[in-house]
């Protein structure tokens, strides 16, 4: 899947090409049974000329496994290009595989990969969990730094508001604690909502863009705890 991920992430593929890539991945790399995304299609035999990876049986390690780090990178790439619904589908597919302990036969965690049977392998050999959290925090919630200031650009989907119309997340930025509460009372999907209003510690924030908020670093450093409320609609 590297051949799909990097053109998207680097901005080489335009929007139309990204849409075609998504369709291709859904057609050729989605495991219909496990609902996970494999590294490559089944070549129906060893491919020594392609290297060591393709000497493994299909579904193991680099030959067709559901490889956690590449799945997360694909989700990140899609989010970064504004394909939030598709990014969330990819990201949540890993969670569902990991949480199905009867099938994965591991304690809930993010292993290096899931094999052809959906079993989690090499729980100790992955950095994907931290990348998963990074993607969820900086892309789905859209909370990240920009030139030293705090940027909030939500790319949350309607599915993420299924149980509650408000989602909260806590993090630390510029040495201060943040509690960011994002409300979506109509439970609209990404692309159908904008930021109606926002506040920090009950003080309204001026909106110059309906999709993103930029908060000055110094404003955050004034207090040890900042409560930020954002209303979508």
């Amino acid at each position: 899947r590297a051949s799909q991920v990097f053109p998207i992430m680097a901005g080489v593929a335009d929007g139309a090409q990204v849409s075609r890539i998504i369709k291709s991945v859904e057609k050729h790399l989605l495991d219909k049974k496990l609902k996970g995304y494999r590294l490559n299609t089944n070549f129906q035999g060893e491919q020594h000329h392609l290297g060591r990876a393709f000497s493994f049986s299909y579904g193991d390690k680099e030959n067709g496994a559901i490889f956690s780090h590449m799945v997360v990178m694909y989700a990140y790439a899609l989010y970064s290009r504004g394909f939030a619904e598709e990014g969330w589908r990819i990201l949540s597919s890993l969670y569902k595989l990991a949480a199905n302990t009867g099938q994965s036969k591991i304690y809930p965690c993010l292993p290096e990969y899931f094999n052809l049977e959906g079993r989690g392998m090499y729980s100790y050999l992955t950095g994907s969990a931290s990348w998963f959290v990074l993607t969820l925090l900086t892309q789905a919630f859209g909370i990240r730094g920009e030139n030293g200031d705090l940027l909030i650009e939500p790319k949350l989907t309607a599915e993420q508001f299924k149980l509650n119309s408000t989602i909260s997340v806590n993090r630390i930025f510029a040495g201060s604690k943040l509690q960011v509460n994002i409300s979506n009372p109509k439970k609209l999907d990404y692309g159908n909502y904008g930021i109606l209003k926002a506040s920090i510690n009950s003080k309204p924030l001026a909106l110059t863009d309906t999709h993103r908020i930029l908060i000055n670093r110094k404003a955050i450093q004034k207090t040890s705890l900042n409560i930020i409320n954002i209303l979508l609609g």
Side-chain angles (χ1 to χ4, degrees):
R1 198 179 313 106
S3 58
Q4 290 84 34
V5 169
F6 293 114
I8 298 173
M9 188 177 292
V12 175
D14 60 29
Q17 289 173 322
V18 174
S19 294
R20 292 200 295 271
I21 288 172
I22 292 169
K23 289 181 180 179
S24 180
V25 168
E26 293 294 318
K27 179 179 179 180
H28 298 290
L29 298 179
L30 172 63
D31 185 307
K32 304 298 192 296
K33 179 182 177 181
L34 299 176
K35 307 299 182 184
Y37 294 84
R38 300 200 170 277
L39 275 175
N40 56 269
T41 53
N42 190 349
F43 294 114
Q44 305 296 331
E46 294 182 344
Q47 303 291 315
H48 297 297
H49 61 288
L50 292 177
R52 167 183 171 273
F54 297 94
S55 292
F56 294 115
S57 60
Y58 183 71
D60 287 303
K61 296 183 79 66
E62 289 86 357
N63 186 15
I66 299 173
F67 232 81
S68 296
H69 81 270
M70 190 53 70
V71 175
V72 174
M73 288 181 71
Y74 181 46
Y76 185 98
L78 291 174
Y79 270 117
S80 69
R81 297 295 300 277
F83 291 81
E85 183 178 348
E86 294 82 357
W88 174 242
R89 182 174 66 245
I90 302 299
L91 202 61
S92 62
S93 70
L94 277 183
Y95 170 79
K96 291 172 182 176
L97 281 168
N100 185 356
T101 56
Q103 175 180 274
S104 65
K105 295 180 174 62
I106 57 173
Y107 290 112
C109 70
L110 202 56
E112 183 186 30
Y113 70 90
F114 296 89
N115 68 12
L116 204 60
E117 289 75 41
R119 181 169 185 168
M121 307 294 286
Y122 297 96
S123 299
Y124 55 86
L125 191 62
T126 177
S128 303
S130 58
W131 304 338
F132 186 106
V133 173
L134 176 74
T135 301
L136 191 60
L137 182 63
T138 65
Q139 294 298 316
F141 281 95
I143 303 170
R144 58 188 184 273
E146 184 175 279
N147 298 322
D149 296 324
L150 175 66
L151 173 67
I152 305 179
E153 184 182 11
K155 295 178 183 176
L156 297 163
T157 67
E159 183 184 348
Q160 289 167 281
F161 291 95
K162 186 176 181 179
L163 299 179
N164 200 314
S165 60
T166 298
I167 300 176
S168 300
V169 63
N170 297 307
R171 70 160 300 180
I172 294 176
F173 183 84
S176 296
K177 294 180 180 179
L178 302 180
Q179 179 184 316
V180 181
N181 307 310
I182 302 176
S183 298
N184 184 2
K186 294 183 180 179
K187 299 185 178 181
L188 301 174
D189 218 335
Y190 177 73
N192 295 323
Y193 61 67
I195 300 172
L196 296 182
K197 61 180 180 179
S199 66
I200 180 169
N201 302 324
S202 301
K203 296 179 180 178
L205 289 166
L207 299 179
T208 58
D209 192 311
T210 58
H211 300 292
R212 64 204 312 261
I213 301 169
L214 194 63
I215 304 175
N216 187 276
R217 181 186 187 92
K218 293 181 179 179
I220 293 169
Q221 292 177 313
K222 289 180 180 179
T223 60
S224 59
L225 173 62
N226 294 277
I227 299 176
I228 301 172
N229 293 313
I230 298 173
L231 176 63
L232 305 177

